[in-house]
Every structure is written in C-alpha cells, then in structure tokens.
Amino acid sequence: EKDDLDNQKKMIQILTKLKMQNVLASPIRWRITHDLRHVRGIEFQEMRVPGPDGSMRTIQTGELTKQALEEIAKDADFNEKIIRVISKLIHEEKRKSILVFANTVTHAKLLSSMIRTSIQENGKEMTAEFIHAGTHNDERCRFIKEFREQKLRVLCNFDILTQGFDAPKVDAIVVARDTGSYVLHTQMIGRGLRGPRNGGTKECRIVDFSNKLRERLQGLSAEERMQDWLFHEDLYDEDEELSDFELGFKKLDDMKW
C-alpha cells in the first residue's frame, strides 16, 4: 500500500512537471452547480455482483439511466446555463475551440441549435455542430476537420470523442454530461490538455457540471482520494465556483446576504 501511494505521489510530480514544461496545458476550472431535484425519473443504473457469501446481489452504479439522462437534457434552466457559460467563454474569455460533452444525442443536437440561434459575434451567427456514433462518416470527418482548423467554433458530441480524438487547439471543455464515472470524466477533460510543446494550448478552461462526481469526491479524505487514484482535481491551477448570479440567472435584488 505504501508503494502504491508513493507511485501516485510520483505521478502527481510528473504531471506537475509536464505542465511546467508546457507538454500539458494548464487546466483551470469553473464549477457549476445545478439543482436537478425537481426533475422526475432521476434513477441510477443497477448491476448484479457477487456478495461476500457468493450469492448475487444488485447494487446501484454511479451512472444515470438512459431515461434519467433524457429527462435532464430537457431541463430548460440547465440548458440555459450551458448556453450562458458558452457565451461567457466566447465573449469574455475569447475561447476559439470549445468542445461540449452532452447527455444524449438529442441533447447534443439541441445545444448546437441553441448556440447557433442564441450566440452571435460581430453580428454573425456562432458556428456550432453536433456529432454522435450515428453521424455519417463523411459528415463527422468534415465537422472534426473544421473544428481542428477553428472554422467551427463549438462542437457538441455525445459518447464519441472521449478518447482517441485529437484536436490540439481545444481551449475549453464543457462537461455538461453528469457522469458518476471518474475515468470517463478524466477522459473528457483530457481532450483539452495538450500543451504548446505538443501542438496545443497554454491553458484550457474546464467547465464542470458534474455534480454527482464532485459530491462523491468531497466525501473522501485526501488520503482516500490518493489511494483510489482520484487526485486529478488537485492539479487544477485555478478552481472557482461560478454562481447563478455570475451567469445572469439571479439579479442583485434576489440575492440573499
């Protein structure tokens, strides 16, 4: 166990050094909380596993059911928050290459449409498209090529660009998919962490809507996170929570002091 902890500490040191050497981009995060308790049908997937006595038992996983993801994707306030934060990335932070991870195929399609109709720059409609596993190969390749060349400003996707996807100039990742999987979450944010020496960017803004995963990690001590290899949150160079007020959801008069 001591050797394992030592290995993890070494890994943190290596990752920190790679950031300093510009091999990895510097990750900076906005945490956004959205209350989904009003959404009906929020249920988690179940799986059968062997118990201590060898008999099979049912446990709840950290992943939401397909129906739950579909219900979340319909939530108007949630989608409005996503659009507002993308507008903030474009107009205030001047991000040029924004990759969005949606909850469902329909959600990715909806977000790309909302971005085009809701966000303008210099009087022009924002360029945004969506892809998923069912997207025709020619169309998928065209959108990815345009995104890499920064002709396409925002690319929304569902369950397709989590690994094996190479777009070095990505400078913002919007994780709108509320996954309970630490591995999947790490894969998503990793799409934007290529540094200048790797043909990438100096820093990457991570917009994190992953309420469930953050709640899980907050319940663990620093030692427990280290033991389970859940230490990547400690590597953010900036980490702040973006409030509803900062996103324009609440006026100053509505705030409780």
Side-chain angles (χ1 to χ4, degrees):
E1 185 173 314
K2 183 180 181 300
D3 289 343
D4 200 31
L5 285 173
D6 287 343
N7 288 337
Q8 291 169 62
K9 289 176 181 176
K10 288 177 183 176
M11 179 60 72
I12 292 176
Q13 292 173 354
I14 291 170
L15 292 173
T16 301
K17 186 173 289 187
L18 289 174
K19 285 193 301 178
M20 293 173 63
Q21 295 174 342
N22 288 328
V23 175
L24 292 179
S26 170
I28 55 177
R29 179 169 69 165
W30 283 338
R31 288 171 282 115
I32 300 179
T33 300
H34 183 63
D35 190 352
L36 294 168
R37 287 177 294 182
H38 64 283
V39 179
R40 295 182 177 180
I42 300 296
E43 296 179 348
F44 292 90
Q45 296 177 22
E46 296 180 341
M47 63 183 298
R48 299 278 288 172
V49 297
D53 59 357
S55 62
M56 299 300 291
R57 60 191 181 99
T58 301
I59 65 168
Q60 200 175 73
T61 71
E63 284 299 300
L64 291 165
T65 63
K66 181 180 179 181
Q67 182 181 354
L69 290 172
E70 289 172 350
E71 290 301 318
I72 290 172
K74 296 176 187 175
D75 187 79
D77 284 348
F78 177 54
N79 291 324
E80 180 64 20
K81 276 189 181 181
I82 296 170
I83 298 305
R84 291 194 184 207
V85 82
I86 291 173
S87 179
K88 189 177 180 71
L89 289 170
I90 291 169
H91 294 126
E92 295 182 22
E93 296 223 321
K94 308 300 181 185
R95 302 289 170 174
K96 300 296 184 184
S97 193
I98 303 168
L99 182 61
V100 180
F101 289 94
N103 283 290
T104 65
V105 172
T106 304
H107 195 212
K109 181 179 181 180
L110 173 65
L111 290 175
S112 65
S113 177
M114 289 179 71
I115 291 164
R116 288 194 298 270
T117 57
S118 303
I119 303 175
Q120 290 190 345
E121 188 176 46
N122 299 324
K124 295 182 179 179
E125 184 181 275
M126 190 53 53
T127 54
E129 293 294 349
F130 77 99
I131 60 173
H132 58 96
T135 304
H136 190 279
N137 190 57
D138 289 346
E139 192 173 55
R140 185 193 309 174
C141 289
R142 176 166 63 87
F143 289 156
I144 290 176
K145 181 175 183 292
E146 290 176 357
F147 184 65
R148 285 176 175 150
E149 295 172 350
Q150 296 188 334
K151 295 176 182 177
L152 183 62
R153 192 72 166 272
V154 187
L155 182 60
C156 303
N157 85 101
F158 170 68
D159 218 20
I160 190 172
L161 301 181
T162 54
Q163 53 184 323
F165 170 67
D166 184 33
K169 295 300 183 182
V170 170
D171 57 3
I173 301 280
V174 178
V175 183
R177 181 172 176 177
D178 196 6
T179 178
S181 167
Y182 183 80
V183 173
L184 178 58
H185 181 79
T186 304
Q187 288 174 334
M188 288 189 285
I189 65 175
R191 298 310 93 204
L193 297 186
R194 283 183 61 167
R197 289 180 63 182
N198 249 339
T201 58
K202 178 67 177 175
E203 66 172 28
C204 181
R205 171 68 72 185
I206 309 297
V207 182
D208 184 6
F209 282 91
S210 302
N211 295 348
K212 293 197 316 297
L213 190 59
R214 291 203 303 271
E215 288 170 2
R216 174 189 162 200
L217 293 177
Q218 286 169 1
L220 300 175
S221 66
E223 185 175 338
E224 287 172 328
R225 290 201 307 271
M226 186 72 77
Q227 288 174 345
D228 292 337
W229 289 80
L230 306 177
F231 53 75
H232 291 81
E233 289 216 338
D234 300 327
L235 296 174
Y236 284 110
D237 293 316
E238 293 180 18
D239 192 11
E240 61 178 309
E241 183 161 2
L242 212 57
S243 68
D244 286 356
F245 175 68
E246 290 170 296
L247 287 173
F249 261 75
K250 288 186 178 181
K251 297 178 181 178
L252 196 59
D253 294 340
D254 298 329
M255 300 297 287
K256 294 180 180 179
W257 302 97

